[in-house]
Amino acid sequence: SGAPQAAIQLVSDDQDPDSEEKELTAKERELWVLPRRGTISPWSSKATDIFGLCGLGNIVQRVERGVVYRITFADDFAIPQFRLSEHKQIINAGSDRMTEALYESCPAAALIFAHSEPRPLREVPIRDSDGSDELARPIRNIEAAQAQGGAEQTEVTAASVLARANRELGLALATDEIAYLVDAYLGAQAADAGIARNPTDAELMMFAQVNSEHCRHKIFGASWTIDGHAQELSLFDWIKATQKKHPEHVLSAYSDNAAVLEAVDASRIQAWVPDERDAQRWTMCDAGAVHVVAKVETHNHPTLISPFPGAATGAGGEIRDEGAVGRGSKPKCGLAGFT
């Protein structure tokens, strides 16, 4: 049948001359939706693990899946002359642009399963960004820059180079964050310590992720106004206000990786635990005080674009965070919701 043949064709470049695969007619076109080149889908990771657990790890190095659409046009419809895989509306409707790519025929296996070596670090040249052979002098502050004459222009140029890297790398850095980075790499403290230098693309990417809204809540915790009136509480403060006003039965909140709720009648809870003398044997005993660890987290991106991998990332992150509360906890269940 067509689907198994498609899978075999993707694994091997050799074409079977006896294949019963139906050839495309003049009124038919195909679209292959496969993982983007150089990426490994979450499904592939799990499926490849299953092959390994079945004893096929030495035979199957990696497995991927895709979808093949065969489009049949009506007889009175003019066949499009452009490449369907390059049409923006078709790309948006037929694939997830973040994780998938479109092809109009089965691509070579090497294209899908190619393993690229990590690229070397690349410096973002903010020190010699003025185009001269001399390294730009460090900027101590705006007043000193004005006194130094050309140095102020260097700071502006360094910021513009970082701004371009911000766009090219998709870092989503704000103007004040770019200024902070210029000062961190070229400022007085770095100059006095003799460590002023160019940042690398990896460092900028790490800074952007660690300092993102998801991690820092810069917007959620910022001051804001309504009709020109400054608000006493930030959006995050409003969330915390509920627990602050009613702290009953809450042992910990907003101070660890997750909140801890007071156990309710925990004396009735029993659990299977390893025997102290023989860890291979499990016995039922009173669990004692078992408090409840709970956490909710939003995953707007990439969930909005790629909902299932995004939800998997969110659920995995939740399990990790809850397991790290206090001296450690045991996650029991997770819930993912879509809106």
Side-chain angles (χ1 to χ4, degrees):
S1 63
Q5 176 62 26
I8 294 171
Q9 184 181 1
L10 189 58
V11 173
S12 174
D13 292 338
D14 298 330
Q15 298 295 324
D16 184 358
D18 299 326
S19 171
E20 297 179 359
E21 179 73 13
K22 181 183 176 183
E23 295 293 335
L24 292 175
T25 67
K27 287 291 185 178
E28 292 180 325
R29 301 279 286 275
E30 274 187 353
L31 278 177
W32 293 64
V33 184
L34 297 166
R36 284 180 59 178
R37 183 178 182 181
T39 66
I40 299 176
S41 69
W43 181 91
S44 173
S45 299
K46 179 61 67 177
T48 304
D49 285 344
I50 292 174
F51 274 94
L53 293 173
C54 293
L56 298 174
N58 294 330
I59 301 173
V60 179
Q61 296 181 355
R62 182 177 152 206
V63 59
E64 275 289 4
R65 69 173 177 177
V67 178
V68 181
Y69 296 99
R70 176 164 288 191
I71 305 170
T72 303
F73 294 92
D75 292 336
D76 58 347
F77 188 86
I79 303 297
Q81 298 303 311
F82 57 82
R83 293 179 59 84
L84 297 180
S85 59
E86 297 176 357
H87 193 276
K88 184 177 181 180
Q89 288 181 305
I90 294 177
I91 293 174
N92 291 338
S95 67
D96 175 353
R97 290 185 297 136
M98 176 175 282
T99 61
E100 296 172 327
L102 289 182
Y103 303 88
E104 299 202 24
S105 61
C106 181
L111 184 67
I112 302 300
F113 294 104
H115 176 72
S116 301
E117 292 296 325
R119 286 178 290 182
L121 288 176
R122 185 182 63 169
E123 287 191 354
V124 177
I126 63 174
R127 292 191 73 191
D128 52 352
S129 56
D130 59 354
S132 67
D133 293 333
E134 293 185 1
L135 296 179
R137 287 176 291 174
I139 304 303
R140 298 179 180 275
N141 52 55
I142 294 179
E143 291 74 20
Q146 293 172 341
Q148 292 172 9
E152 182 183 24
Q153 180 63 33
T154 299
E155 183 180 57
V156 174
T157 306
S160 65
V161 172
L162 273 182
R164 187 175 72 242
N166 182 37
R167 294 190 300 270
E168 293 177 355
L169 298 176
L171 303 178
L173 298 176
T175 303
D176 58 335
E177 292 169 331
I178 292 177
Y180 170 85
L181 287 170
V182 170
D183 181 69
Y185 282 93
L186 301 182
Q189 188 172 358
D192 293 341
I195 58 174
R197 60 177 178 84
N198 290 326
T200 67
D201 53 357
E203 290 171 332
L204 295 179
M205 181 62 72
M206 288 165 44
F207 175 87
Q209 302 311 312
V210 173
N211 203 45
S212 65
E213 174 64 21
H214 177 82
C215 295
R216 297 293 191 196
H217 305 299
K218 296 174 291 185
I219 299 174
F220 207 47
S223 59
W224 59 307
T225 62
I226 297 180
D227 297 332
H229 299 286
Q231 301 300 298
E232 182 179 351
L233 300 178
S234 69
L235 293 175
F236 208 175
D237 289 334
W238 277 109
I239 298 295
K240 296 178 179 180
T242 303
Q243 186 271 333
K244 187 176 181 179
K245 188 173 183 179
H246 297 283
E248 303 87 14
H249 310 299
V250 178
L251 300 181
S252 174
Y254 307 109
S255 62
D256 207 332
N257 286 281
V260 181
L261 307 180
E262 186 179 25
V264 178
D265 199 12
S267 60
R268 296 184 180 181
I269 299 177
Q270 288 191 321
W272 287 99
V273 297
D275 190 285
E276 294 183 358
R277 293 163 296 182
D278 183 2
Q280 299 301 316
R281 297 182 58 188
W282 289 64
T283 58
M284 181 73 77
C285 67
D286 292 336
V290 179
H291 303 301
V292 179
V293 179
K295 183 182 181 186
V296 177
E297 180 176 304
T298 59
H299 259 248
N300 299 320
H301 184 79
T303 310
L304 185 62
I305 300 173
S306 185
F308 295 107
T313 303
E318 293 300 279
I319 293 173
R320 173 203 62 206
D321 290 346
E322 289 161 349
V325 171
R327 292 183 298 175
S329 60
K330 297 179 180 179
K332 295 296 184 181
C333 64
L335 176 67
F338 295 89
T339 60

PDB file of all heavy atoms in Angstrom, residues 115-130:
ATOM      1  N   HIS A 115      22.827  14.354  10.337  1.00  0.00           N
ATOM      2  CA  HIS A 115      23.262  14.838  11.650  1.00  0.00           C
ATOM      3  C   HIS A 115      24.330  15.903  11.434  1.00  0.00           C
ATOM      4  O   HIS A 115      25.412  15.629  10.920  1.00  0.00           O
ATOM      5  CB  HIS A 115      23.835  13.699  12.495  1.00  0.00           C
ATOM      6  CG  HIS A 115      24.388  14.156  13.818  1.00  0.00           C
ATOM      7  ND1 HIS A 115      23.577  14.561  14.858  1.00  0.00           N
ATOM      8  CD2 HIS A 115      25.662  14.282  14.250  1.00  0.00           C
ATOM      9  CE1 HIS A 115      24.335  14.924  15.878  1.00  0.00           C
ATOM     10  NE2 HIS A 115      25.591  14.765  15.546  1.00  0.00           N
ATOM     11  N   SER A 116      24.013  17.123  11.801  1.00  0.00           N
ATOM     12  CA  SER A 116      24.940  18.232  11.601  1.00  0.00           C
ATOM     13  C   SER A 116      25.815  18.416  12.832  1.00  0.00           C
ATOM     14  O   SER A 116      25.348  18.299  13.970  1.00  0.00           O
ATOM     15  CB  SER A 116      24.164  19.529  11.328  1.00  0.00           C
ATOM     16  OG  SER A 116      23.344  19.389  10.183  1.00  0.00           O
ATOM     17  N   GLU A 117      27.070  18.679  12.575  1.00  0.00           N
ATOM     18  CA  GLU A 117      27.979  18.967  13.668  1.00  0.00           C
ATOM     19  C   GLU A 117      27.657  20.341  14.256  1.00  0.00           C
ATOM     20  O   GLU A 117      27.257  21.255  13.534  1.00  0.00           O
ATOM     21  CB  GLU A 117      29.431  18.942  13.174  1.00  0.00           C
ATOM     22  CG  GLU A 117      29.917  17.565  12.761  1.00  0.00           C
ATOM     23  CD  GLU A 117      29.937  16.588  13.927  1.00  0.00           C
ATOM     24  OE1 GLU A 117      30.243  17.039  15.062  1.00  0.00           O
ATOM     25  OE2 GLU A 117      29.628  15.406  13.714  1.00  0.00           O
ATOM     26  N   PRO A 118      27.813  20.500  15.567  1.00  0.00           N
ATOM     27  CA  PRO A 118      27.560  21.811  16.167  1.00  0.00           C
ATOM     28  C   PRO A 118      28.432  22.878  15.528  1.00  0.00           C
ATOM     29  O   PRO A 118      29.627  22.667  15.302  1.00  0.00           O
ATOM     30  CB  PRO A 118      27.922  21.601  17.647  1.00  0.00           C
ATOM     31  CG  PRO A 118      27.788  20.128  17.865  1.00  0.00           C
ATOM     32  CD  PRO A 118      28.185  19.488  16.569  1.00  0.00           C
ATOM     33  N   ARG A 119      27.819  23.999  15.227  1.00  0.00           N
ATOM     34  CA  ARG A 119      28.574  25.086  14.634  1.00  0.00           C
ATOM     35  C   ARG A 119      29.451  25.775  15.678  1.00  0.00           C
ATOM     36  O   ARG A 119      29.074  25.831  16.849  1.00  0.00           O
ATOM     37  CB  ARG A 119      27.614  26.098  13.997  1.00  0.00           C
ATOM     38  CG  ARG A 119      27.002  25.611  12.703  1.00  0.00           C
ATOM     39  CD  ARG A 119      26.032  26.614  12.144  1.00  0.00           C
ATOM     40  NE  ARG A 119      24.821  26.706  12.959  1.00  0.00           N
ATOM     41  CZ  ARG A 119      23.782  27.485  12.665  1.00  0.00           C
ATOM     42  NH1 ARG A 119      23.820  28.246  11.590  1.00  0.00           N
ATOM     43  NH2 ARG A 119      22.719  27.501  13.441  1.00  0.00           N
ATOM     44  N   PRO A 120      30.585  26.304  15.285  1.00  0.00           N
ATOM     45  CA  PRO A 120      31.470  26.967  16.263  1.00  0.00           C
ATOM     46  C   PRO A 120      30.848  28.250  16.788  1.00  0.00           C
ATOM     47  O   PRO A 120      29.959  28.838  16.154  1.00  0.00           O
ATOM     48  CB  PRO A 120      32.744  27.257  15.439  1.00  0.00           C
ATOM     49  CG  PRO A 120      32.265  27.316  14.016  1.00  0.00           C
ATOM     50  CD  PRO A 120      31.150  26.327  13.916  1.00  0.00           C
ATOM     51  N   LEU A 121      31.315  28.682  17.948  1.00  0.00           N
ATOM     52  CA  LEU A 121      30.848  29.941  18.497  1.00  0.00           C
ATOM     53  C   LEU A 121      31.176  31.080  17.535  1.00  0.00           C
ATOM     54  O   LEU A 121      32.216  31.084  16.885  1.00  0.00           O
ATOM     55  CB  LEU A 121      31.515  30.211  19.852  1.00  0.00           C
ATOM     56  CG  LEU A 121      31.072  29.349  21.032  1.00  0.00           C
ATOM     57  CD1 LEU A 121      31.904  29.696  22.254  1.00  0.00           C
ATOM     58  CD2 LEU A 121      29.603  29.537  21.330  1.00  0.00           C
ATOM     59  N   ARG A 122      30.269  32.035  17.482  1.00  0.00           N
ATOM     60  CA  ARG A 122      30.491  33.210  16.628  1.00  0.00           C
ATOM     61  C   ARG A 122      30.453  34.459  17.494  1.00  0.00           C
ATOM     62  O   ARG A 122      29.522  34.660  18.265  1.00  0.00           O
ATOM     63  CB  ARG A 122      29.405  33.294  15.548  1.00  0.00           C
ATOM     64  CG  ARG A 122      29.647  34.423  14.554  1.00  0.00           C
ATOM     65  CD  ARG A 122      28.528  34.498  13.549  1.00  0.00           C
ATOM     66  NE  ARG A 122      27.250  34.814  14.188  1.00  0.00           N
ATOM     67  CZ  ARG A 122      26.147  35.151  13.508  1.00  0.00           C
ATOM     68  NH1 ARG A 122      26.174  35.169  12.205  1.00  0.00           N
ATOM     69  NH2 ARG A 122      25.030  35.416  14.152  1.00  0.00           N
ATOM     70  N   GLU A 123      31.481  35.264  17.379  1.00  0.00           N
ATOM     71  CA  GLU A 123      31.516  36.501  18.141  1.00  0.00           C
ATOM     72  C   GLU A 123      30.669  37.565  17.453  1.00  0.00           C
ATOM     73  O   GLU A 123      30.618  37.643  16.226  1.00  0.00           O
ATOM     74  CB  GLU A 123      32.947  37.015  18.287  1.00  0.00           C
ATOM     75  CG  GLU A 123      33.798  36.220  19.264  1.00  0.00           C
ATOM     76  CD  GLU A 123      35.114  36.925  19.560  1.00  0.00           C
ATOM     77  OE1 GLU A 123      35.390  37.958  18.921  1.00  0.00           O
ATOM     78  OE2 GLU A 123      35.849  36.450  20.445  1.00  0.00           O
ATOM     79  N   VAL A 124      30.009  38.378  18.259  1.00  0.00           N
ATOM     80  CA  VAL A 124      29.288  39.540  17.747  1.00  0.00           C
ATOM     81  C   VAL A 124      30.206  40.738  17.956  1.00  0.00           C
ATOM     82  O   VAL A 124      30.492  41.120  19.102  1.00  0.00           O
ATOM     83  CB  VAL A 124      27.955  39.737  18.497  1.00  0.00           C
ATOM     84  CG1 VAL A 124      27.247  40.995  17.988  1.00  0.00           C
ATOM     85  CG2 VAL A 124      27.063  38.512  18.298  1.00  0.00           C
ATOM     86  N   PRO A 125      30.722  41.320  16.887  1.00  0.00           N
ATOM     87  CA  PRO A 125      31.829  42.300  16.992  1.00  0.00           C
ATOM     88  C   PRO A 125      31.365  43.682  17.443  1.00  0.00           C
ATOM     89  O   PRO A 125      31.191  44.599  16.648  1.00  0.00           O
ATOM     90  CB  PRO A 125      32.381  42.344  15.561  1.00  0.00           C
ATOM     91  CG  PRO A 125      31.188  42.048  14.710  1.00  0.00           C
ATOM     92  CD  PRO A 125      30.338  41.078  15.485  1.00  0.00           C
ATOM     93  N   ILE A 126      31.197  43.857  18.736  1.00  0.00           N
ATOM     94  CA  ILE A 126      30.813  45.179  19.232  1.00  0.00           C
ATOM     95  C   ILE A 126      32.035  46.027  19.597  1.00  0.00           C
ATOM     96  O   ILE A 126      31.946  47.255  19.635  1.00  0.00           O
ATOM     97  CB  ILE A 126      29.864  45.068  20.442  1.00  0.00           C
ATOM     98  CG1 ILE A 126      30.550  44.365  21.620  1.00  0.00           C
ATOM     99  CG2 ILE A 126      28.589  44.332  20.070  1.00  0.00           C
ATOM    100  CD1 ILE A 126      29.710  44.373  22.878  1.00  0.00           C
ATOM    101  N   ARG A 127      33.177  45.405  19.838  1.00  0.00           N
ATOM    102  CA  ARG A 127      34.381  46.188  20.204  1.00  0.00           C
ATOM    103  C   ARG A 127      35.006  46.849  18.987  1.00  0.00           C
ATOM    104  O   ARG A 127      35.488  47.960  19.066  1.00  0.00           O
ATOM    105  CB  ARG A 127      35.414  45.300  20.881  1.00  0.00           C
ATOM    106  CG  ARG A 127      34.990  44.790  22.246  1.00  0.00           C
ATOM    107  CD  ARG A 127      36.158  44.150  22.970  1.00  0.00           C
ATOM    108  NE  ARG A 127      37.123  45.122  23.456  1.00  0.00           N
ATOM    109  CZ  ARG A 127      38.318  44.808  23.928  1.00  0.00           C
ATOM    110  NH1 ARG A 127      38.707  43.539  23.954  1.00  0.00           N
ATOM    111  NH2 ARG A 127      39.133  45.729  24.371  1.00  0.00           N
ATOM    112  N   ASP A 128      35.029  46.152  17.879  1.00  0.00           N
ATOM    113  CA  ASP A 128      35.606  46.731  16.667  1.00  0.00           C
ATOM    114  C   ASP A 128      34.507  47.043  15.663  1.00  0.00           C
ATOM    115  O   ASP A 128      34.685  46.935  14.476  1.00  0.00           O
ATOM    116  CB  ASP A 128      36.626  45.785  16.043  1.00  0.00           C
ATOM    117  CG  ASP A 128      36.054  44.389  15.843  1.00  0.00           C
ATOM    118  OD1 ASP A 128      34.936  44.134  16.316  1.00  0.00           O
ATOM    119  OD2 ASP A 128      36.741  43.562  15.219  1.00  0.00           O
ATOM    120  N   SER A 129      33.330  47.436  16.194  1.00  0.00           N
ATOM    121  CA  SER A 129      32.178  47.657  15.325  1.00  0.00           C
ATOM    122  C   SER A 129      32.273  48.936  14.509  1.00  0.00           C
ATOM    123  O   SER A 129      31.445  49.195  13.648  1.00  0.00           O
ATOM    124  CB  SER A 129      30.898  47.703  16.168  1.00  0.00           C
ATOM    125  OG  SER A 129      31.017  48.700  17.173  1.00  0.00           O
ATOM    126  N   ASP A 130      33.285  49.808  14.789  1.00  0.00           N
ATOM    127  CA  ASP A 130      33.396  51.032  14.004  1.00  0.00           C
ATOM    128  C   ASP A 130      34.095  50.796  12.677  1.00  0.00           C
ATOM    129  O   ASP A 130      34.260  51.713  11.886  1.00  0.00           O
ATOM    130  CB  ASP A 130      34.131  52.103  14.811  1.00  0.00           C
ATOM    131  CG  ASP A 130      35.530  51.644  15.223  1.00  0.00           C
ATOM    132  OD1 ASP A 130      35.860  50.462  14.965  1.00  0.00           O
ATOM    133  OD2 ASP A 130      36.275  52.460  15.783  1.00  0.00           O
TER     134      ASP A 130
END
